[in-house]
Structures are given as C-alpha cells and as structure tokens.
C-alpha cells in the first residue's frame, strides 16, 4: 500500500514485517519527491518512523512520552524541510538529521520537565504496555526489554543518547557524530562507557571472543 | 574463521527497537480528499485530522499552499473524506460532521459557532452575529472572522449578509455566495 494514501479515518498501515532493517552504515537511496514537501515527508516517515519512535521510547521510557517526542520530531522535521526548498531536501541525510532534531527536542523536554520527579528506577515500571502490543511482544518486553529499558535511564544523558542511537536505533557512529555535533572518537567513548556501565548493572556479560562493538 | 559470538547486551539493546504505533502519523499529518460541492463550486478539497474537518477550500494548485501557510503540517491524500461531509454539502445535516477547530482564536470560534446556527434558507446580518456573541460593536471584526472561516459551507458563513441588503463578501467570492443563497431559497433580491 502506498504510504501517501490512507483511507479516511483509518490508521496508517503497519510496517512490512518482511523488510529487514537497513545496515547502520547504509543511508539508503535518497528520498524521492524533493520538489513536493508532502510526498517527501510521507516517504521520510515511512522509512524512519521506527528509528525515531524506538529512540524516543528508549530515551523517554514511556509510550506516552515517546508519542509526544516522536510526533514533535516529525513535525519539526517537516517544518524545517518545507522551508529548505527542493535542492536542500534532495541532499539531506535523513537519519542523522532526524536524530539531531529528536535529541534537541528530548533535551528541551528533559530540562523543562524538572517539575516532574525523576522516575523510580527499579520499583516502578517506566515502560507502560502499549495497548497495540501483541502477546509475544509483551512477554519479550517483560523478560528483557522492561528491565534493560529501565537501566538505560541510569546512564548520563550523552551516553544514553549514544547507546540508544547506536544499538537500539541502529545509527552508525559517524551518523551519531553528526547528530550529537561531537567528534566520532567522543561518540565511541560515550558508547563504550555506556555499555560498560550497563554491563555492570546487568548479568549480560560480553560474549567471549566478541570484540567490543562500538 | 568462525564469526565471533554475538554480544548479549547489544543483542538485547537491538531487541528494544519497536515499530511506531499506527496513530503516530495522525498526530503529525493532516489528510485531505476531494468532495463534490454545490454549484457553482463544483468540487472542494477537505482537510481533516483524527478530530474532524479542519479546512475546506476549492480544489486547485493553491489548496496545499494555503493549507501549509495556515497549518504548517504535512498534508497527505486520503481515499475519501470523513463520513457525512458529502451529505452535509448537499442539504444534509452539517451538525453531523465533526470539526477540528483547535487553534482558532476565541473570538473567531464564537463568531463561527453563532453562524453555524443559521438554518438553510435563512440569512442574518453581520450585526446579528455581533450581538449574539455579546460584542455588538465588533461588526467589522465579525466580517473578518467570517472571511477567514476555515470550513465554509460546513459552517455556513454565506448566510451572513449586510444589514443594508447587500450580499457582502465571501471566501469563494460574492457571486458564489449569491448562487448558494439563491439555491437555498434565501430571501435575497433577484437572481445571481
């Protein structure tokens, strides 16, 4: 089904489950329709909604906050891209660009949310169940996702952002370097320190013979 | 050489990826569809959110541009307009159509709510609206609020005319206003 056409009143189609995620270093083909901001956006959303929503969910820790953050990210992206004009839209590298918008929005929310007490880390579930989640996915989340997702909240902001973008959202370190406006070596350091801290908090020891993956 | 064993931590992190929920796009984008409209308009474009219709204008190249100037949101095509819109445009009950008027200033919302109460075949002067909303001296502002009605026809601002018998202005032009009122049997002088 063409993502640019939806039945009135019906939700967007689910992702094609047969489509493998892109390799982190593969930016994919350029987005079509740079001359039409609406069609360009429809394809941007179709390709990158999972990356944006996954990162939003694991940065915020709740489906409701992830809804807010992901929708704000896409709306900011559309408004910026509509003002760019076709040539700049054609040249845009969407993943680091979206990630930068997401991180800015997240930090702004993070800082203005000081009125909200920080979430309790281990004795209250941050990860409210998604009503649309199927039984198998819910079981999976309870077994590993919920606990690990809660532990992500213990990481300092930049380590958390780098680990989530690299290992949950699947961005390359070069893309994260662009998104964070930090040298790639610094990004690798954030990731490796974040992973080390997570390992210390979980029993997920690094597999023997597996080199550190940053 | 065998592949190194996968790292359980990074594998578990990769397992935290999820697809976006279906409702996410509705929070960002607005959809639109063409709907047949009474003469002389012929056809209009209707934009709608999951809350209701938010914009109605004649179809044409200016529709998307004017929508973007006003709402600054992506506009994606839909197969059809929400239920009840086509009926409402052809004599059905406009009250059955949900409207999304979020973002309107309170004054304009009051003006449009008052205009929505005018039945087919009736006309009211701008001053009537001004009195009805408790702003009897704001007659000119009422005209401006009606002139930027985001959902004409569904909120029948064409039924508001001048006190001196003149037809007044309309978002689709005075001639279209006269034709719509004539077709509804409203007491206006002559034929359009």
């Amino acid at each position: 089904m063409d993502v640019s056409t939806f039945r009135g009143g019906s939700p967007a189609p689910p992702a094609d489950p047969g489509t493998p995620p892109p390799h982190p270093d593969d930016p994919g083909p350029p987005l079509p329709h740079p001359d039409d901001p609406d069609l360009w956006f429809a394809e941007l959303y179709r390709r990158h909604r999972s990356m944006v929503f996954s990162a939003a969910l694991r940065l915020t820790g709740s489906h409701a906050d992830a809804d807010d953050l992901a929708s704000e990210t896409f709306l900011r992206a559309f408004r910026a891209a509509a003002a760019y004009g076709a040539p700049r839209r054609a040249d845009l590298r969407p993943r680091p660009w979206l990630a930068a918008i997401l991180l800015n929005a997240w930090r702004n929310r993070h800082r203005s949310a000081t009125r909200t007490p920080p979430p309790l880390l281990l004795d209250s579930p941050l990860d409210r169940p998604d009503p649309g989640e199927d039984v198998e996915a819910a079981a999976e989340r309870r077994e590993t996702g919920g606990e690990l997702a809660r532990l992500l909240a213990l990481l300092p902001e930049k380590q958390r952002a780098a680990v989530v973008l690299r290992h949950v959202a699947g961005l390359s370190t070069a893309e994260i370097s662009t998104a964070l406006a930090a040298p790639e070596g610094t990004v690798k350091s954030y990731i490796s320190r974040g992973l080390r801290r997570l390992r210390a908090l979980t029993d997920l020891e690094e597999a023997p013979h597996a080199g550190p993956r940053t | 050489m065998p592949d190194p064993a996968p790292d359980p931590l990074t594998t578990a992190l990769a397992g935290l990826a999820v697809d976006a929920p279906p409702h996410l796009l509705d929070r960002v984008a607005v959809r639109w569809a063409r709907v047949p409209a009474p003469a002389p308009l012929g056809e209009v474009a209707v934009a709608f959110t999951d809350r209701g219709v938010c914009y109605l204008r004649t179809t044409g190249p200016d529709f998307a541009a004017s929508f973007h100037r006003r709402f600054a949101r992506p506009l994606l095509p839909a197969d059809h307009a929400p239920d009840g819109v086509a009926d409402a445009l052809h004599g059905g009950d406009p009250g059955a159509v949900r409207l999304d008027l979020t973002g309107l200033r309170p004054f304009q919302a009051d003006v449009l709510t008052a205009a929505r109460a005018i039945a087919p075949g009736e006309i009211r002067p701008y001053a009537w609206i001004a009195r009805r909303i408790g702003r009897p001296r704001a007659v000119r502002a009422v005209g401006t609020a009606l002139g930027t009605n985001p959902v004409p026809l569904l909120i029948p601002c064409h039924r508001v005319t001048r006190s001196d018998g003149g037809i007044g202005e309309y978002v689709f032009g005075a001639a279209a206003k006269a034709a719509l009122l004539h077709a509804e049997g409203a007491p206006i002088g002559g034929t359009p």
Side-chain angles (χ1 to χ4, degrees):
Chain A
M1 181 178 176
D2 179 359
V3 72
S4 65
T5 303
F6 302 106
R7 293 177 58 79
S10 67
D16 177 1
T19 306
H23 187 276
D25 298 323
D26 175 14
L31 290 168
H33 312 298
D35 52 335
D36 183 325
D38 295 314
L39 293 178
W40 182 88
F41 175 84
E43 185 63 13
L44 175 86
Y45 181 85
R46 190 186 72 78
R47 288 192 199 176
H48 302 294
R49 65 186 174 193
S50 296
M51 182 275 281
V52 168
F53 187 77
S54 295
L57 178 61
R58 301 316 176 186
L59 288 171
T60 63
S62 88
H63 276 274
D65 290 342
D67 272 5
D68 290 345
L69 179 55
S71 55
E72 182 183 348
T73 298
F74 277 115
L75 195 53
R76 284 186 182 202
F78 173 79
R79 288 174 177 170
Y84 285 166
R88 190 166 171 191
R89 280 195 292 273
D91 287 344
L92 205 98
R93 295 173 59 226
R95 292 201 304 181
W97 179 70
L98 281 170
I101 295 170
L102 174 80
L103 291 178
N104 278 333
W106 176 57
R107 283 191 290 253
N108 289 343
R109 285 167 171 269
H110 213 50
R111 282 163 195 163
S112 63
T114 46
R115 64 186 180 278
T116 310
L120 298 173
L121 295 172
L122 294 171
D123 59 353
S124 75
L126 294 178
D127 198 19
R128 273 173 274 169
D130 174 1
E133 194 177 43
D134 66 34
V135 173
E136 193 178 331
E140 170 83 16
R141 181 178 54 77
R142 278 196 297 275
E143 285 167 13
T144 57
E147 181 67 14
L148 186 55
R150 278 193 291 278
L151 294 176
L152 280 169
L154 292 171
L155 299 183
E157 186 178 285
K158 286 177 179 168
Q159 289 179 26
R160 185 178 187 185
V163 167
V164 165
L165 289 179
R166 178 73 186 96
H167 289 293
V168 180
L171 269 66
S172 68
T173 51
E175 288 176 322
I176 300 166
S177 163
T178 303
L180 279 172
E184 200 169 344
T186 307
V187 167
K188 288 179 178 173
S189 166
Y190 289 149
I191 295 169
S192 111
R193 280 152 55 200
L195 289 180
R196 197 179 319 136
R197 193 156 179 166
L198 284 176
R199 272 186 229 290
L201 293 164
T202 65
D203 53 1
L204 295 172
E205 292 299 329
E206 197 169 345
H209 311 301
R213 184 186 167 210
T214 58
Chain B
M1 183 176 167
D3 289 338
D7 177 354
L9 175 58
T10 56
T11 302
L13 285 167
L16 295 182
V18 293
D19 193 13
H23 63 256
L24 184 65
L25 188 58
D26 284 331
R27 297 196 49 185
V28 181
V30 175
R31 287 167 286 166
W32 77 280
R34 298 170 189 274
V35 184
L41 301 173
E43 182 183 69
V44 291
V46 171
F48 52 99
T49 69
D50 52 354
R51 296 179 179 188
V53 175
C54 62
Y55 199 52
L56 184 155
R57 288 293 185 268
T58 46
T59 50
D62 292 340
F63 174 68
S66 69
F67 172 86
H68 286 138
R69 277 195 299 277
R70 189 161 182 150
F71 294 94
R73 286 181 179 272
L75 185 64
L76 306 178
D79 287 348
H80 56 79
D83 292 344
V85 172
D87 282 351
L89 296 184
H90 294 89
D93 177 16
V97 176
R98 288 192 308 145
L99 301 177
D100 181 353
L101 300 178
T102 50
L104 287 188
R105 291 180 180 169
F107 178 81
Q108 188 174 25
D110 290 347
V111 168
L112 296 179
T113 301
R116 203 175 191 190
I118 308 171
E122 296 182 0
I123 53 173
R124 294 284 184 276
Y126 294 96
W128 178 86
I129 299 264
R131 285 194 304 273
R132 193 173 166 97
I133 64 170
R135 302 282 300 276
R137 298 177 64 182
V139 177
R140 187 176 293 274
V142 165
T144 303
L146 292 171
T148 56
N149 177 5
V151 284
L153 302 175
L154 296 175
I155 290 181
C157 56
H158 62 281
R159 295 175 193 152
V160 185
T161 58
R162 288 168 48 148
S163 305
D164 64 6
I167 198 86
E169 295 178 0
Y170 187 43
V171 62
F172 298 137
K177 184 173 185 174
L180 289 167
L181 290 173
H182 183 73
E184 290 177 357
I188 55 165
T191 51

